[in-house]
Amino acid sequence: LNTPFAIVALGGYGRVELCPKSDIDIMFLVEEKSNEVENAVVGFFQKLWDENINIGHSFRTIKDCIELCEVDFESWASILESRFVCGDKQFYDYFIREIKLKALSKDSEKFIAGIIEGNRTRHEKYGNSIKLLEPNVKKSAGGLRDIHTLLWLFKSTDSDFWDLPSDQSACKSMLELMFQKKIISEEQFYSSLNAFEFILRTRIELHFDTEGITDVLDFNIQEKISIGLGYRDEAGRKAVEIFMRDYYLNARAIYTLNKIFIKRFQKQFEPHDFGEVEVIDSNFSIRDGEKICLNSRKKVLTPSEIFTAFL
């Protein structure tokens, strides 16, 4: 080619979290487009298709990528997960510097607000409860997308999250950095990391068994998944029951982490949504969406009154 170029991994491939049978997202990044360059790119992708490799493909310049920030949130999120595969490394490094500048600028506030809103609508669509009978291990509450969402938000607000190692899971590296920066406690770190790895292993097993056609943990396949993950019947309990108990516990850890930080980012970027007082009962209210306060100076409450507010 007569222009600098790089092959860039995006999505799960970019995060080093690719599951079996998932699309392999590849971007052919060039400095300038021309008919000659376009023909070469088409030939490159054609070779991959001829090998029956399931790819998600894109062909962009750096300018094309930067313009995605304000018009295509999903594509911009995948750009934030970029990882170098091959090509001109200096050109790729320049691309990352430009993307980083855009991501950390005020221009990305619209993207951040869109990701927060997308997190809410996704939970509404795929299930706001972790105890769904047939959860989507990627998109339901407590699924992998809850962790991916935090990765996009941190890369849009903190330059330290642009220095994550490229040879291991980006989500694992993010959690490690959050712990190092004391953003989360040691307990939160280990519970979140173990939960992430559990849900990811579950998705991998699900993809093996379904040829990657679904991320839904169907009731009819749960037993097969549990056996594949090494669960066995014990003490009168079926393997699938033990597995689903563990699934819900781990999904709760991820969902809790997601809720904590989504609320923090909301406070920072959507302050108009906070400050309201929600009355629970005659004794308690919730202020700022998270603080439980007494409605009066009443100093003594019965256990019944306290537990009523808790419920």
Side-chain angles (χ1 to χ4, degrees):
L1 291 179
N2 59 4
T3 183
F5 74 94
I7 307 299
V8 181
L10 305 176
Y13 186 33
R15 293 190 307 270
V16 196
E17 298 164 5
L18 188 65
C19 290
K21 310 299 181 180
S22 289
D23 289 354
I24 301 173
D25 292 322
I26 297 173
M27 177 172 68
F28 204 117
L29 182 70
V30 298
E31 186 174 62
E32 292 183 2
K33 289 182 178 179
S34 67
N35 288 337
E36 179 191 353
V37 171
E38 187 167 347
N39 289 336
V41 172
V42 170
F44 168 76
F45 285 128
Q46 188 65 55
K47 287 181 183 295
L48 296 179
W49 290 321
D50 290 344
E51 294 295 327
N52 293 319
I53 299 174
N54 190 19
I55 62 169
H57 62 286
S58 54
F59 171 42
R60 300 184 180 112
T61 63
I62 294 176
K63 183 174 180 290
D64 292 336
C65 293
I66 289 175
E67 289 175 349
L68 293 172
C69 179
E70 298 176 61
V71 297
D72 187 341
F73 295 160
E74 186 175 345
S75 295
W76 178 250
S78 71
I79 294 293
L80 296 180
E81 301 167 331
S82 297
R83 180 173 58 85
F84 178 74
V85 177
C86 64
D88 187 328
K89 185 62 164 60
Q90 285 188 322
F91 173 59
Y92 173 80
D93 290 342
Y94 173 69
F95 157 72
I96 289 296
R97 287 196 296 272
E98 293 297 300
I99 293 298
K100 179 180 176 181
L101 283 173
K102 184 69 171 179
L104 296 172
S105 71
K106 286 187 69 67
D107 293 341
S108 69
E109 289 187 5
K110 184 178 177 182
F111 167 74
I112 293 170
I115 290 300
I116 292 171
E117 175 62 16
N119 190 76
R120 183 188 66 78
T121 56
R122 173 173 54 81
H123 284 164
E124 288 182 354
K125 180 178 179 179
Y126 291 96
N128 244 325
S129 168
I130 59 165
K131 288 200 172 182
L132 299 172
L133 290 178
E134 297 181 323
N136 185 307
V137 299
K138 183 178 180 181
K139 296 183 178 180
S140 294
L144 295 170
R145 191 61 90 204
D146 278 2
I147 293 283
H148 303 160
T149 298
L150 298 186
L151 178 65
W152 303 334
L153 291 171
F154 276 110
K155 295 198 83 167
S156 300
T157 55
D158 189 332
S159 62
D160 289 345
F161 287 86
W162 283 86
D163 297 323
L164 301 177
S166 61
D167 59 349
Q168 71 169 17
S169 155
C171 290
K172 178 180 179 181
S173 297
M174 175 191 71
L175 292 170
E176 289 173 345
L177 183 56
M178 290 170 72
F179 176 47
Q180 291 168 14
K181 288 168 67 74
K182 299 188 183 335
I183 297 173
I184 55 176
S185 67
E186 183 176 9
E187 181 182 357
Q188 285 176 311
F189 167 65
Y190 283 111
S191 66
S192 300
L193 179 60
N194 291 337
F196 166 70
E197 292 182 339
F198 179 91
I199 302 297
L200 184 58
R201 285 199 305 272
T202 299
R203 187 179 186 227
I204 289 171
E205 188 66 27
L206 184 59
H207 275 215
F208 274 131
D209 284 334
T210 67
E211 294 293 313
I213 61 173
T214 182
D215 285 320
V216 177
L217 201 51
D218 246 3
F219 184 77
N220 292 332
I221 201 173
Q222 288 172 8
E223 184 173 5
K224 188 176 181 183
I225 298 297
S226 67
I227 299 300
L229 290 173
Y231 284 84
R232 297 293 182 266
D233 296 350
E234 57 181 57
R237 299 184 66 191
K238 293 184 177 179
V240 65
E241 295 172 351
I242 303 170
F243 162 64
M244 289 306 296
R245 178 204 63 188
D246 286 351
Y247 178 88
Y248 293 136
L249 288 172
N250 285 292
R252 182 173 65 184
I254 290 177
Y255 185 44
T256 299
L257 190 77
N258 175 272
K259 286 202 299 181
I260 289 171
F261 286 99
I262 286 293
K263 185 160 289 187
R264 290 189 190 181
F265 283 111
Q266 278 181 314
K267 276 188 160 184
Q268 185 176 351
F269 293 97
E270 300 179 4
H272 56 280
D273 288 341
F274 289 83
E276 296 183 358
V277 176
E278 177 188 350
V279 177
I280 299 177
D281 57 22
S282 60
N283 293 306
F284 293 98
S285 292
I286 298 179
R287 298 178 187 273
D288 300 326
E290 59 183 24
K291 297 177 183 176
I292 298 180
C293 305
L294 281 167
N295 293 336
S296 68
R297 295 185 179 181
K298 189 175 180 181
K299 292 184 178 180
V300 178
L301 293 171
T302 66
S304 176
E305 289 174 318
I306 293 172
F307 277 100
T308 297
F310 173 79
L311 289 171

